[in-house]
Amino acid sequence: MTALSLGDPVYTPLKTYLTKHAKAHQRASLARTYVAVDGLARIKAYITIICGEIEVQVDHDGEDVRYDYTKYPAVKIARLAVDKRVRGKRLGEALVDLAIGVTRDIVCPHVGCRFIVVDSKQQSVAFYRKCGFTLLETSDNRDREEPIMFIDLHKT
Amino acid sequence: MSIKSSAFGGVTLTGDDAKKFLKQVRNGRPNLAASESAKRGSAMVAAIQKSGSLSFVVEKSDRPEKRR
């Protein structure tokens, strides 16, 4: 497991999560982590997803439009990491596909879930767009260190 | 207006961010890339449910890959 090499120290928390917290979260049903391993069972990439929600607090300010729901169930991609030696081989994309598939095909029909959401790193926004995620198009969000991106599962 | 979110927490949107989100959801068109991702994901889920794991050969490509 510790063979996972992510390169830039900025990604150290991703390795720390896998080595120190992922198993405990799995056992406690706080998160689910899916790993991609090579032929020698060495982890080359992983993705962690959790249950969450998107809460919208709107001040109507006398507007005619009313919003029926203030909380939307969602699955969040909490962690995604790919070993630097196998980047560019669509491993990350495959794990995101799997997370979307799990959410749409297993979670949604049995529990109810409208969105899959991620706090994307700035440098990953294009990657998530390619996977079908939509950026919340506000200046506040675009300027965030980790902008919110989402997929409306009703439209997949 | 504000956005509150953390990797292992929910997302809270207020003010203009909340309004924009609802507008994007209400008016957003089906996203072809998302549909294709979901289709590939569905096939992977089906394979995992059948055998407990999934094998695939990684693509030989130099395309850079990003992470969360």
Side-chain angles (χ1 to χ4, degrees), chain A residues 6 11 14 17 50 53-59 63 67 72 76-80 82 87-94 97-98 100-102 104-106 114-115 118-119 121 123-124 127-128 130-132 134-138 140-141 144 146 148 152 155-156, chain B residues 1-46 48-49 54 56-68:
Chain A
L6 299 177
Y11 299 121
L14 296 173
Y17 177 76
I50 62 166
E53 69 175 12
I54 299 174
E55 180 175 4
V56 287
Q57 299 175 353
V58 178
D59 181 357
E63 292 178 21
Y67 303 107
Y72 295 84
K76 180 176 249 187
I77 296 177
R79 291 282 185 263
L80 173 63
V82 178
R87 283 183 201 147
K89 299 179 187 299
R90 309 191 74 165
L91 208 46
E93 188 177 344
D97 290 347
L98 176 62
I100 296 169
V102 166
R104 193 184 70 161
D105 292 1
I106 298 176
R114 179 66 186 262
F115 297 99
V118 64
D119 298 347
K121 292 189 186 306
Q123 64 267 34
S124 302
F127 166 78
Y128 282 108
K130 192 172 177 4
C131 294
T134 298
L135 181 72
L136 173 61
E137 292 288 357
T138 64
D140 264 17
N141 190 48
R144 277 169 58 87
E146 296 185 343
I148 304 289
D152 183 349
K155 296 176 181 173
T156 58
Chain B
M1 66 185 116
S2 75
I3 301 168
K4 292 179 183 171
S5 185
S6 60
F8 287 90
V11 177
T12 301
L13 305 172
T14 63
D16 290 345
D17 296 299
K19 288 180 181 176
K20 183 66 177 180
F21 173 75
L22 292 169
K23 189 174 180 182
Q24 283 185 245
V25 169
R26 191 180 302 116
N27 301 329
R29 297 176 182 172
N31 184 317
L32 181 60
S35 297
E36 289 175 350
S37 293
K39 192 183 295 181
R40 291 191 298 268
S42 291
M44 296 169 80
V45 168
I48 289 173
Q49 286 183 319
L54 170 69
F56 57 92
V57 177
V58 294
E59 180 180 281
K60 289 183 178 178
S61 161
D62 293 329
R63 188 172 62 85
E65 188 165 299
K66 308 294 184 184
R67 293 150 295 168
R68 204 202 84 75

Side-chain angles (χ1 to χ4, degrees), chain A residues 22-81:
Chain A
K23 272 189 177 177
H25 284 185
Q26 187 88 5
R27 281 194 296 267
S29 292
L30 298 176
R32 290 286 177 249
T33 295
Y34 297 85
V35 298
V37 299
D38 66 10
L40 299 174
R42 295 175 299 198
I43 293 176
K44 293 298 177 186
Y46 79 92
I47 191 166
T48 299
I49 56 178
I50 62 166
C51 288
E53 69 175 12
I54 299 174
E55 180 175 4
V56 287
Q57 299 175 353
V58 178
D59 181 357
H60 294 296
D61 288 333
E63 292 178 21
D64 291 335
V65 177
R66 307 298 295 185
Y67 303 107
D68 294 332
Y69 305 105
T70 57
K71 294 182 179 179
Y72 295 84
V75 162
K76 180 176 249 187
I77 296 177
R79 291 282 185 263
L80 173 63

